[in-house]
Every structure is written in structure tokens, then in C-alpha cells.
């Protein structure tokens, strides 16, 4: 039942690929040990309990000006939706052509196929012998409490002028960037501007390898810099069962456990860039929090909202400081709030429990996602459900309703409200997952 609920908003095309595609399972030395569905390979439960690791590839496509093509992942993607990433990233599949290990030919063939699928680039425009395998990287990264990545990633470089025709089911946007433009994008992500996110694998490549390899691209010496013997490994400290995930990225220090690999261990808190990519790790499991804090429940410092809310949006789990708003069948102030920078906050709207119209629609939710709001809780109705379910944000509401609200701009901001039988104050903290919604007077630690 829980899995069905979590999968309810999944795009049907993406869901079909999750079950049909068979990823290649490998050990940490990249030896094939089996195969599994893409769905099962990306479940954090399997990643953590079975240590399943699968092959992947990341393509870095440069034009003749030595600008890098980057893409924004579609909102329909199961892991890291709307994150900016490398030109094309996916998986070699468990079939004969993709299993060829000599000169990473299987990964290169899979990349050629996926460049057509994601970006509409015909195979003849990207000859396999022009795809240069540069290195391998092993990393682990949760996307949310259910999904994550544990990949041995082949890093593939190409220099070609091509025409790009993105598949909207896979790609939300594309653009070419030079070095300075990419550094500016990273700066904006670090600053939390414009709701921008980077995929964790792309960020790790940018921080550790990309710019030195980019220099070799410009000099025409990339093949000399390639090293396919080394596996750059990442050790993650995060598990989905933790009561509270640390919202800190960790700086890398290299320790050579063997002549053929390096281990990157995380040991200092990371600044805001990967919380923006992995911000769902800064979340709590509400049941565990309740079990660990009976004294706060007795004192009223920790309260649970009544189980009256439906789950919308791609983010099943979210948390943040509360901003309160009181309206009745009027959505103007709701829209105005969500046009502001969210800064990881949660907007809680007391709509009086009205089910006669919707006070939140798809466009404001898209704005909220882009402006960095963590979530929205509405004591009322929403509409444009399909659009909301495509957004990387958490939304809770009583129901959906097709009728729109009034536009009188009547309401009260930052006032005490009662939602779900619970009194909520501006500035308190809200924690939501598939078990329910908690409100705490202060930020929780367990």
C-alpha cells in the first residue's frame, strides 16, 4: 500500500522504463555480478540493505567552441527531477552489446543510444569511436527516502557539433555553457538562487575532475589524461532510516586503499550546494521522531495534525520553518507568497477547510518549486493535480476541486492558525512524510 502511494504520481513512461530496463549489477571493482530492474536498483532499501551497485554513464558533450552541453532533467524523472546535470546520463543495460568491457565499448554504445533517446542526436552524428572514456566514479546519493543512486559511473567525453532535439519526457531544458558560465551556475546553486539544483554526480565531477579535463579538451590532449584503471569511490554517511538526515555535504579527502582506486570520504559539513541537490536528506521520519520525543508530545511542543490530508507533488517528504497564511476561497495572497524566495520554508494556508473551490493551482506550485519552497500545506483544495504531481515539491491538501478561487486579495499573513485540529504559529517547524504531518515549536534534533 505504501509503495503504491509513493508510486502514484510517477509518469507512466518513466514507470515502464523503471520495470522494463535491466541494469547491470557490479561489485566495487566493476565485475558483473548480476542484473536487476531499474526500479529495484534505485530503491534506497536495496541500496542500503543489499548494497546493490549498478553501472551508469555520464556524457560530457562539447561543441567546437569547447562549450559544454548541460541538461535540466525533466520533472517526470524519478530521481533528482529538474536538477541540472551533464549532457546525458543513464545506464548500460544487461544485454550483449552493453556488456562489452573492452575499451568501455558497452558503455559507449549505450551512451550513443541514449543520446538519441534523450536529445534526439542520431547515431551517425555521434560515432562510437569518437566517444572517449575518461574515467570511472563510484558514488551513492539518496534522492528522497525511497529513491536513490548507487552507481559506478563511466565518464564519457565527446567533441562534436550536433543538432539537439530534446525529449520532453526526459529533458526539461538544455544549454551550452563555457567555464565561467558553469562556475556562475554553481555559485547560484550554492547561494540558493532561483531554485537551481545540480545532480550529485555532476556536482562531484565538477568539483573534482571537470575543469582539468576541460583544459585537455581545449588542448586536444584528452586521451592522454584518460585513466580507466582507477575507480574514484565515494562513501556515503546517509541512510534513509536515519531519524534526522544531516543537511551537510562533506569535503573529499583521497585515501588510496589499493593501487587501482581512491576512496573519497566525507568528513566536514557541506555548504548549501548539495543540500539543494540532496535537500531531501535534511528530513525526518515522523514516526521515529514521535517515538523519540514523548516528552515533547506531552508538553505540546510537538503536535501531529489530523490525518485528513491528501499527498500531492513529487516530494513525499519535506520539512522547514512555517509561514502562516489565513484566507477563505481567495488565492491572491497564496500566489504572492509563493512568488517570493522560499529559502526552504513551508507555507501553511488555513483555507477554512472549504471544499467549494481550489485555492492553490499548478502555476503557483511551479513558482514555489523554482523559488525554493520546501512544501505547501493547504487546509482547502487544489487543482491542476497532474501539473502539481510533476513538481519537485511537497504539497498536502484536503482534496482537489476544478473551480478557481476569488481574486479579492483578502486574508491575514503571519497569524496563528488552526489546521488539522492543531494550532500553528508562524516560525514553528513542520515535518511531513507519508505517515503524517508534525509541527514543532523548534527545529527538531533526535
Amino acid at each position: 500500500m505504501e509503495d503504491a502511494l509513493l508510486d502514484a504520481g510517477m509518469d507512466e513512461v518513466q514507470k515502464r522504463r523503471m520495470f522494463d530496463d535491466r541494469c547491470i549489477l557490479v561489485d566495487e571493482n566493476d565485475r558483473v555480478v548480476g542484473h536487476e530492474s531499474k526500479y529495484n536498483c534505485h530503491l534506497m532499501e536495496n541500496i542500503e540493505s543489499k548494497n546493490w551497485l549498478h553501472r551508469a554513464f555520464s556524457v560530457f558533450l562539447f561543441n567546437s567552441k569547447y562549450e559544454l552541453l548541460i541538461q535540466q532533467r525533466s520533472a517526470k524523472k524519478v530521481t533528482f527531477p529538474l536538477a541540472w546535470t551533464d549532457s546525458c546520463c543513464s545506464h548500460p543495460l544487461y544485454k550483449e552489446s552493453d556488456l562489452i568491457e573492452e575499451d568501455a565499448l558497452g558503455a559507449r554504445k549505450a551512451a550513443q543510444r541514449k543520446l538519441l533517446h534523450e536529445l534526439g542526436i542520431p547515431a551517425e552524428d555521434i560515432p562510437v569511436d569518437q566517444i572517449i572514456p575518461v574515467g570511472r566514479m563510484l558514488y551513492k546519493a539518496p534522492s528522497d527516502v525511497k529513491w536513490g543512486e548507487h552507481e559506478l559511473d563511466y565518464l564519457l567525453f565527446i567533441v562534436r557539433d550536433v543538432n539537439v532535439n530534446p525529449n520532453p519526457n526526459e529533458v526539461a531544458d538544455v544549454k551550452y555553457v563555457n567555464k565561467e558560465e558553469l562556475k556562475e551556475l554553481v555559485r547560484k546553486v550554492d547561494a540558493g538562487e532561483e531554485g537551481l539544483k545540480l545532480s550529485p554526480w555532476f556536482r562531484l565531477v565538477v568539483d573534482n575532475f571537470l575543469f582539468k579535463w576541460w583544459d585537455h579538451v581545449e588542448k586536444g590532449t584528452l586521451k592522454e589524461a584518460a585513466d580507466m584503471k582507477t575507480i574514484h569511490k565515494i562513501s556515503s554517511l546517509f541512510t534513509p532510516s536515519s531519524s534526522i538526515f544531516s543537511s551537510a555535504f562533506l569535503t573529499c579527502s583521497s585515501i588510496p586503499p589499493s593501487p587501482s582506486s581512491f576512496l573519497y570520504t566525507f568528513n566536514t559539513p557541506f555548504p548549501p550546494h548539495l543540500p539543494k541537490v540532496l535537500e531531501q536528506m535534511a528530513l525526518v521520519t515522523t514516526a521515529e521522531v514521535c517515538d523519540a520525543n514523548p516528552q515533547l508530545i506531552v508538553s505540546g511542543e510537538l503536535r501531529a495534525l489530523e490525518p485528513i490530508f491528501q499527498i500531492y507533488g513529487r516530494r513525499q517528504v519535506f520539512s522547514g520553518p512555517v509561514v502562516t497564511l489565513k484566507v477563505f476561497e481567495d488565492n491572491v495572497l497564496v500566489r504572492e507568497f509563493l512568488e517570493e524566495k522560499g529559502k526552504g520554508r513551508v507555507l501553511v494556508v488555513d483555507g477554512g477547510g472549504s471544499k467549494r473551490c481550489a485555492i492553490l493551482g499548478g502555476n503557483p506550485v511551479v513558482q514555489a518549486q523554482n523559488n525554493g519552497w520546501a512544501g505547501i500545506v493547504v487546509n482547502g483544495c487544489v487543482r491542476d493535480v497532474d501539473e502539481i504531481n510533476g513538481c519537485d515539491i511537497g504539497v498536502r491538501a484536503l482534496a482537489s476541486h476544478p473551480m478557481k478561487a476569488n481574486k479579492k486579495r483578502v486574508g491575514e499573513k503571519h497569524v496563528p492558525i488552526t489546521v488539522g485540529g492543531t494550532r500553528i504559529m508562524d516560525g514553528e517547524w513542520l515535518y511531513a512524510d507519508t505517515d503524517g504531518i508534525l509541527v514543532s515549536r523548534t527545529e527538531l534534533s533526535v
Side-chain angles (χ1 to χ4, degrees):
M1 181 66 181
E2 182 178 346
D3 280 351
L5 179 63
L6 289 172
D7 295 344
M10 191 187 299
D11 174 76
E12 287 302 319
V13 175
Q14 294 289 333
K15 183 184 292 187
R16 186 169 65 250
R17 289 189 172 276
M18 290 291 278
F19 286 102
D20 291 348
D21 290 352
R22 308 293 297 183
C23 292
I24 303 168
L25 293 179
V26 295
D27 64 18
E28 292 195 356
N29 293 310
D30 201 16
R31 293 187 292 252
V32 177
V33 296
H35 57 91
E36 258 299 342
S37 70
K38 183 178 175 183
Y39 185 98
N40 285 334
C41 285
H42 289 82
L43 289 172
M44 282 306 301
E45 178 183 359
N46 291 332
I47 291 171
E48 293 297 335
S49 65
K50 301 176 183 177
N51 199 35
W52 280 355
L53 171 68
H54 61 275
R55 277 186 188 156
F57 63 80
S58 294
V59 175
F60 296 79
L61 172 60
F62 296 83
N63 61 19
S64 57
K65 298 178 182 178
Y66 304 121
E67 297 169 323
L68 173 65
L69 180 69
I70 60 175
Q71 66 156 278
Q72 185 182 34
R73 291 164 64 83
S74 166
K76 297 176 181 179
K77 299 293 282 186
V78 175
T79 60
F80 305 101
L82 294 174
W84 283 94
T85 192
D86 45 275
S87 312
C88 177
C89 39
S90 190
H91 313 90
L93 301 181
Y94 192 80
K95 59 183 183 179
E96 185 175 357
S97 63
D98 291 11
L99 285 165
I100 303 171
E101 297 188 351
E102 185 178 359
D103 297 325
L105 183 57
R108 290 187 287 144
K109 284 179 173 288
Q112 184 189 54
R113 181 177 66 246
K114 199 65 178 179
L115 284 163
L116 173 61
H117 174 237
E118 286 193 3
L119 298 174
I121 304 172
E124 57 267 26
D125 290 352
I126 302 286
V128 170
D129 61 4
Q130 296 296 308
I131 302 174
I132 303 173
V134 179
R136 291 179 293 174
M137 178 181 72
L138 192 160
Y139 76 97
K140 181 190 297 185
S143 180
D144 55 32
V145 294
K146 179 172 182 178
W147 302 107
E149 299 282 5
H150 191 202
E151 297 184 328
L152 202 154
D153 196 7
Y154 283 63
L155 307 175
L156 308 175
F157 278 54
I158 312 167
V159 182
R160 301 281 290 186
D161 287 323
V162 296
N163 293 319
V164 177
N165 183 26
N167 176 353
N169 189 263
E170 296 284 336
V171 179
D173 198 4
V174 295
K175 61 182 175 181
Y176 282 97
V177 293
N178 59 33
K179 291 178 183 177
E180 295 307 313
E181 289 167 336
L182 180 56
K183 290 175 182 177
E184 175 62 12
L185 174 61
V186 171
R187 185 199 67 77
K188 288 182 177 181
V189 170
D190 289 354
E193 296 180 11
E194 302 175 21
L196 293 168
K197 300 180 290 184
L198 298 181
S199 73
W201 59 91
F202 183 51
R203 181 67 195 232
L204 288 165
V205 174
V206 169
D207 285 351
N208 293 283
F209 312 113
L210 181 57
F211 290 107
K212 67 179 180 182
W213 287 340
W214 203 324
D215 290 340
H216 285 285
V217 169
E218 294 175 346
K219 295 174 185 177
T221 57
L222 185 62
K223 290 184 178 180
E224 299 171 18
D227 176 11
M228 292 302 291
K229 293 182 179 179
T230 299
I231 298 176
H232 301 281
K233 297 183 180 179
I234 293 174
S235 174
S236 173
L237 299 180
F238 304 107
T239 63
S241 59
S242 299
S243 295
I244 298 222
F245 292 109
S246 171
S247 61
F249 187 55
L250 311 169
T251 57
C252 296
S253 60
S254 60
I255 306 171
S258 71
S260 62
S261 64
F262 292 92
L263 172 66
Y264 288 96
T265 58
F266 296 136
N267 49 27
T268 58
F270 31 83
H273 57 271
L274 268 179
K276 283 297 173 185
V277 175
L278 303 177
E279 62 187 355
Q280 290 178 337
M281 295 192 304
L283 308 171
V284 300
T285 302
T286 57
E288 292 182 354
V289 168
C290 290
D291 292 347
N293 292 281
Q295 73 283 2
L296 296 182
I297 297 173
V298 172
S299 69
E301 294 180 48
L302 179 64
R303 293 98 66 201
L305 274 62
E306 295 173 353
I308 57 177
F309 295 95
Q310 303 295 315
I311 296 176
Y312 303 95
R314 292 185 62 88
R315 191 176 303 182
Q316 305 293 328
V317 185
F318 60 93
S319 65
V322 168
V323 179
T324 60
L325 175 62
K326 189 172 185 178
V327 299
F328 187 73
E329 298 181 358
D330 191 316
N331 70 349
V332 175
L333 293 179
V334 177
R335 295 181 67 99
E336 289 181 1
F337 257 122
L338 298 178
E339 289 169 356
E340 301 175 5
K341 294 295 183 184
K343 300 179 181 178
R345 295 176 294 170
V346 177
L347 179 62
V348 182
V349 183
D350 180 7
S354 172
K355 294 183 179 179
R356 299 192 301 185
C357 65
I359 57 174
L360 179 68
N363 287 339
V365 174
V366 171
Q367 285 187 313
Q369 165 197 266
N370 294 339
N371 287 334
W373 288 86
I376 310 164
V377 177
V378 178
N379 185 24
C381 294
V382 299
R383 68 177 193 166
D384 306 321
V385 169
D386 288 344
E387 187 172 6
I388 291 173
N389 284 341
C391 292
D392 181 25
I393 190 170
V395 177
R396 301 290 189 271
L398 301 181
S400 59
H401 199 294
M403 294 188 67
K404 62 183 180 180
N406 296 320
K407 307 287 184 184
K408 297 180 180 179
R409 201 179 181 276
V410 176
E412 299 177 88
K413 303 178 181 180
H414 307 294
V415 295
I417 58 177
T418 299
V419 173
T422 299
R423 190 72 163 166
I424 303 174
M425 307 292 290
D426 200 77
E428 293 190 304
W429 277 74
L430 184 143
Y431 300 85
D433 63 12
T434 52
D435 280 337
I437 303 173
L438 298 176
V439 174
S440 173
R441 288 182 186 170
T442 59
E443 184 176 3
L444 292 172
S445 61
V446 178

